Amino acid sequence: MNPFGEATDLTQGEKIVTISSVVPSVPSLNHHLEKLKPQVRFLSSLVRSLQVSLKKRFGGIFINVKMATLTQDGTTAPFSDPVYLKAAALDPAFSLMWIDHHVLVSLEVKAEVRQHVKELILREAVETEQPTPCVDEEEQESLGQGEGLFAAYHKRKKDVGTTPALQLSHYLHIADGQNVLLFWAMNMKVLPSLFKVAIRVLAVPASSAPVERVFSHGGIILRPHRAQMSDRLLTNLVFCKCNAL
C-alpha cells in the first residue's frame, strides 16, 4: 500500500503543485497492481478489488489514455476533464514520460495519446495567445525605453517569436524532472505561450484537502472564548496561519 500512500501525499499538498500528479499516479498504481497479480498467493482478491475500484473511481483518466472505452449510458466519467492531462504534461517532473512507462497499451496507441495531449495544450495556447506588435531595434532606440547611461554597451535580446508548437517541442526537449515552480519561473519568457497555459492549469488543486484544512484552522482560531472577534480579524488570522512560510 506504500504507492497509494505516496500518491495521496502528492495530491493533497498545500504549498506544491498537486493536479499534475493525478494522471501519472493513476496509471502507475494500476501498473503496480498488475505486477502484484502473479506474485501474491493469498491476497489476490484484494489486488483485484483495488484495481476495479481504481478504474471505477478514475474512469475518465483510463478513457483518456485509451485503457478503457466510453460508457454506453452517456454519463460523464469521473476525472475526464482534459485539464488533468494538460497539467501532467506541463509539469517537467512528468512531461509525457508517464505515457511510455505506465500506460499499458500498444506503441501505436501511446503515440495517439501523446499526440492528443499535445493538441490539447496547443489548442489552449493558441486561444490564450494575444498578438503583440513587433517593434524593430531602430524604433526601440528612438523610444528610449529602458535606456541608461551605458545602455549602448549591452547586447539586445531579440525575441525570436516562436510559435506555440515550437515552444512545446523545445519544452519536451528540456523537461527532465525539474521542480515545476522553479522551471516555469525561469522559462516564462522563453516559453511565453506555454507559460500562460501552465499558470492556468497548474493552479487547480487536485483535491479539497487544502481547503478543508483552512476551515479547520478557522475553527481552531475562533474558539468560544473569542466569540467577539470581528470577521476581518478572523480572515487575517486564517490568512497568516495558512500562508506562513
Side-chain angles (χ1 to χ4, degrees):
M1 300 300 290
N2 287 337
F4 286 89
E6 183 180 356
T8 302
D9 293 337
L10 287 174
T11 55
Q12 291 189 356
E14 291 187 16
K15 300 179 181 179
I16 60 174
V17 176
T18 56
I19 189 171
S20 59
S21 304
V22 176
V23 168
S25 296
V26 173
S28 177
L29 291 174
N30 181 70
H31 185 258
H32 170 69
L33 294 174
E34 284 288 343
K35 292 193 300 182
L36 284 180
K37 283 183 178 180
Q39 301 176 9
V40 296
R41 295 180 55 188
F42 306 106
L43 298 175
S44 59
S45 59
L46 175 60
V47 173
R48 288 194 300 269
S49 298
L50 287 173
Q51 194 170 29
V52 170
S53 299
L54 189 70
K55 292 182 178 180
K56 182 179 180 181
R57 181 69 178 86
F58 301 95
I61 294 178
F62 285 95
I63 293 174
N64 286 335
V65 299
K66 300 185 182 300
M67 293 177 61
T69 57
L70 291 170
T71 57
Q72 300 297 329
D73 54 4
T75 58
T76 303
F79 292 89
S80 59
D81 195 300
V83 68
Y84 296 101
L85 295 176
K86 291 183 286 188
L90 290 175
D91 189 335
F94 304 112
S95 184
L96 298 178
M97 295 179 287
W98 51 274
I99 299 178
D100 297 325
H101 293 282
H102 295 134
V103 177
L104 305 180
V105 293
S106 63
L107 294 177
E108 292 79 8
V109 177
K110 287 183 179 181
E112 294 178 5
V113 174
R114 193 179 296 108
Q115 183 61 30
H116 175 62
V117 176
K118 291 180 181 179
E119 291 175 356
L120 289 174
I121 296 174
L122 292 177
R123 190 180 303 122
E124 183 166 350
V126 171
E127 292 175 355
T128 58
E129 190 176 32
Q130 296 180 353
T132 56
C134 182
V135 181
D136 56 16
E137 291 188 10
E138 294 181 359
E139 185 177 355
Q140 191 173 5
E141 290 178 359
S142 64
L143 293 175
Q145 295 179 354
E147 294 288 347
L149 185 61
F150 305 109
Y153 302 165
H154 302 157
K155 293 183 179 180
R156 296 185 180 273
K157 292 184 178 180
K158 296 183 179 180
D159 185 8
V160 295
T162 57
T163 63
L166 292 176
Q167 292 180 34
L168 180 58
S169 177
H170 180 62
Y171 162 74
L172 295 176
H173 178 70
I174 63 176
D176 189 24
Q178 300 95 323
N179 178 275
V180 58
L181 297 178
L182 295 178
F183 177 88
W184 286 111
M186 295 175 59
N187 293 278
M188 59 185 298
K189 294 184 178 180
V190 180
L191 308 169
S193 299
L194 294 187
F195 175 73
K196 294 178 182 178
V197 181
I199 60 176
R200 285 168 57 91
V201 301
L202 295 176
V204 180
S207 68
S208 61
V211 179
E212 294 171 1
R213 295 190 190 107
V214 173
F215 283 100
S216 298
H217 290 312
I220 294 173
I221 294 173
L222 187 61
R223 307 304 296 174
H225 65 280
R226 307 179 75 180
Q228 298 299 321
M229 184 183 302
S230 65
D231 296 343
R232 184 177 182 84
L233 178 59
L234 175 61
T235 301
N236 292 336
L237 290 176
V238 172
F239 179 84
C240 293
K241 177 64 176 179
C242 297
N243 291 278
L245 296 178

